[in-house]
Amino acid sequence: MLSSRPGAIYQQDNARPHTARLSQQCLQGYDVLPWPARSPDLSPIEHVWTRWEGNCSRPEIQGELTAQMQRLWQDLPQGVISDLIESMPRRISACIAARGGFTTY
């Protein structure tokens, strides 16, 4: 998927699945945003994943997961995306106030 996005930078939160050897091998050759270990997840996409939870079925054929994700993304209301973007200053401020610890956001 990243190969179709020249210049894209991958962001991950250093969770164990992201730092596994296989994951790291898949990311070779791509730019990865530096991220502190065990940091709070400030990525707005995590809220989108939560919203989608339970809406995905286990794919039975190759490519079905990609098709499911594309359908869910197309159906996501623009207001949800805008709200998540607008929440970033508050979320970052809360993280700074918590000295990098977890927050309610």
Side-chain angles (χ1 to χ4, degrees):
M1 202 157 166
L2 283 176
S3 60
S4 66
R5 308 263 189 250
I9 300 173
Y10 180 74
Q11 177 185 350
Q12 52 96 356
D13 60 4
N14 285 323
R16 278 190 194 265
H18 300 158
T19 59
R21 189 174 313 143
L22 180 60
S23 295
Q24 293 301 304
Q25 288 172 351
C26 290
L27 291 172
Q28 285 182 350
Y30 297 103
D31 290 326
V32 178
L33 185 67
W35 207 259
R38 294 184 296 276
S39 63
D41 196 341
L42 295 175
S43 173
I45 196 68
E46 293 300 326
H47 294 277
V48 174
W49 287 120
T50 301
R51 183 183 180 96
W52 286 344
E53 223 169 358
N55 290 330
C56 293
S57 61
R58 182 173 287 252
E60 295 185 22
I61 58 173
Q62 188 173 0
E64 181 57 29
L65 180 59
T66 300
Q68 284 183 41
M69 292 291 101
Q70 288 173 339
R71 281 193 301 274
L72 288 168
W73 189 254
Q74 289 170 351
D75 292 344
L76 186 67
Q78 181 61 45
V80 170
I81 298 168
S82 297
D83 290 347
L84 289 171
I85 292 168
E86 290 172 12
S87 75
M88 287 305 295
R90 291 189 308 272
R91 294 172 44 185
I92 291 170
S93 293
C95 185
I96 291 169
R99 296 182 167 204
F102 290 94
T103 67
T104 57
Y105 282 97

